[in-house]
Amino acid sequence: MELTTKILINKNKEAAFEAFCDPDNIGNFWFSKCTARWQAGETVFLSYPEMGIFNISAKIIAATPGEKIVFTWGEGASERTVTITFTTVKNGTIVEVQEGPWPDNFNFEELLGTKEGWTFVLTCLKAWLESGVNTLRLGLFTQQ
Amino acid sequence: MELTTKILINKNKEAAFEAFCDPDNIGNFWFSKCTARWQAGETVFLSYPEMGIFNISAKIIAATPGEKIVFTWGEGASERTVTITFTTVKNGTIVEVQEGPWPDNFNFEELLGTKEGWTFVLTCLKAWLESGVNTLRLGLFTQQ
């Protein structure tokens, strides 16, 4: 099973792509710190102290400008692959995130938390790119 | 089972309460239209065409200014009770939404959609109250 979340952002897909890949940009809507630019073959280290995340790594598999980002995180049975795609539509770009696979005996709370997390991150991304608001990311409490 | 989602908003609880209850305010972060003020005993009719919702009703059970809102929606086995509470904390107000009960044989996709919906609504509320941004609500695509 895969989990899919998507949002419409009134910006072009290059801007949406860059927001994730530029380590000086991602802190405006998601992780506080990122150690390197997201590019294929790179492993980046991420922190989000406000969410209790102090050092996780993401292995970037693909980062095709304006098109697609693929990375893996987690280890062993908890390893997941995340695919982010950027599609041009009439009013901007649809950013779609797919994460998986989830095992048949998946942890239900984990899946709900992941759905909540992606919904929140994508909404924060929309606020940042469209309106320059970068303060939403500090507000989610359910996972604390 | 109950589903709980919460967010921190840097405004006082009276402002957060009013955003839901004032039919001229709710369109800034949630439903496009609401037929009446939310008060105990009132049934309000709501629409959100961008989400494919044209007319649903909510029966307001309680609306205690700055403290709590309780309403029911859905019918028969799909009826759910939503309780929204407002709690003052150091940096503002925690708005917590609890929806349930969910039957033992709950529909998994429905629960995921509900989690996504509340996360989105609360993030839109935060953007509206803190930054005056009322355009996020048009962007969620997963449920379309």
Side-chain angles (χ1 to χ4, degrees):
Chain A
M1 189 183 66
E2 301 283 329
L3 186 70
T4 300
T5 309
K6 53 186 172 177
I7 206 161
L8 170 66
I9 297 179
N10 297 326
K11 291 289 175 181
N12 65 40
K13 58 187 186 176
E14 288 76 14
F17 175 89
E18 272 301 303
F20 286 95
C21 293
D22 178 355
D24 293 327
N25 199 331
I26 194 170
N28 289 301
F29 72 98
W30 195 10
F31 289 103
S32 315
K33 289 189 182 174
C34 175
T35 53
R37 182 173 175 82
W38 292 26
Q39 46 194 348
E42 188 83 49
T43 295
V44 300
F45 296 88
L46 305 155
S47 66
Y48 199 153
E50 300 84 355
M51 290 284 193
I53 297 170
F54 295 95
N55 187 30
I56 61 168
S57 61
K59 184 179 176 185
I60 313 299
I61 308 300
T64 311
E67 300 296 334
K68 188 169 73 168
I69 298 167
V70 182
F71 66 88
T72 62
W73 56 7
E75 294 187 7
S78 296
E79 186 181 87
R80 308 274 181 263
T81 298
V82 176
T83 301
I84 308 174
T85 54
F86 305 87
T87 306
T88 299
V89 294
K90 186 181 175 188
N91 294 320
T93 301
I94 291 178
V95 180
E96 177 175 320
V97 176
Q98 195 175 65
E99 180 163 359
W102 300 87
D104 291 341
N105 62 341
F106 64 85
N107 179 298
F108 184 62
E109 290 296 328
E110 183 191 350
L111 199 67
L112 274 179
T114 301
K115 166 53 83 176
E116 176 172 80
W118 285 119
T119 303
F120 186 62
V121 166
L122 291 180
T123 309
C124 291
L125 174 65
K126 181 176 174 72
W128 164 242
L129 289 178
E130 292 183 355
S131 306
V133 171
N134 65 0
T135 48
L136 297 180
R137 58 179 289 283
L138 300 177
L140 192 68
F141 265 73
T142 304
Q143 295 184 75
Q144 293 182 327
Chain B
M1 189 182 66
E2 301 284 327
L3 187 69
T4 300
T5 309
K6 53 185 170 176
I7 204 162
L8 171 67
I9 297 180
N10 297 327
K11 291 288 176 184
N12 65 40
K13 57 187 186 176
E14 288 75 15
F17 175 88
E18 272 302 304
F20 286 95
C21 292
D22 177 357
D24 293 328
N25 199 330
I26 195 170
N28 289 301
F29 71 98
W30 195 10
F31 289 103
S32 316
K33 290 188 182 173
C34 174
T35 53
R37 182 173 176 81
W38 292 27
Q39 45 194 349
E42 188 82 50
T43 294
V44 300
F45 296 88
L46 304 155
S47 65
Y48 201 152
E50 300 84 354
M51 289 284 192
I53 297 170
F54 295 95
N55 187 30
I56 63 167
S57 62
K59 184 180 177 184
I60 313 299
I61 308 301
T64 310
E67 299 297 334
K68 187 169 74 170
I69 298 167
V70 182
F71 67 88
T72 61
W73 56 7
E75 294 186 7
S78 295
E79 187 181 85
R80 307 275 180 261
T81 298
V82 177
T83 301
I84 309 174
T85 54
F86 305 87
T87 305
T88 300
V89 293
K90 186 181 175 189
N91 295 320
T93 301
I94 291 178
V95 180
E96 177 174 320
V97 177
Q98 194 174 65
E99 180 163 359
W102 299 87
D104 291 342
N105 61 342
F106 64 84
N107 179 297
F108 185 62
E109 290 296 329
E110 183 191 350
L111 199 68
L112 273 180
T114 301
K115 168 53 83 176
E116 177 173 81
W118 285 119
T119 304
F120 186 62
V121 166
L122 291 180
T123 310
C124 291
L125 173 66
K126 183 176 174 70
W128 164 241
L129 289 178
E130 293 182 356
S131 307
V133 171
N134 65 0
T135 47
L136 295 181
R137 57 179 288 284
L138 301 176
L140 192 67
F141 264 74
T142 306
Q143 296 184 73
Q144 292 183 329

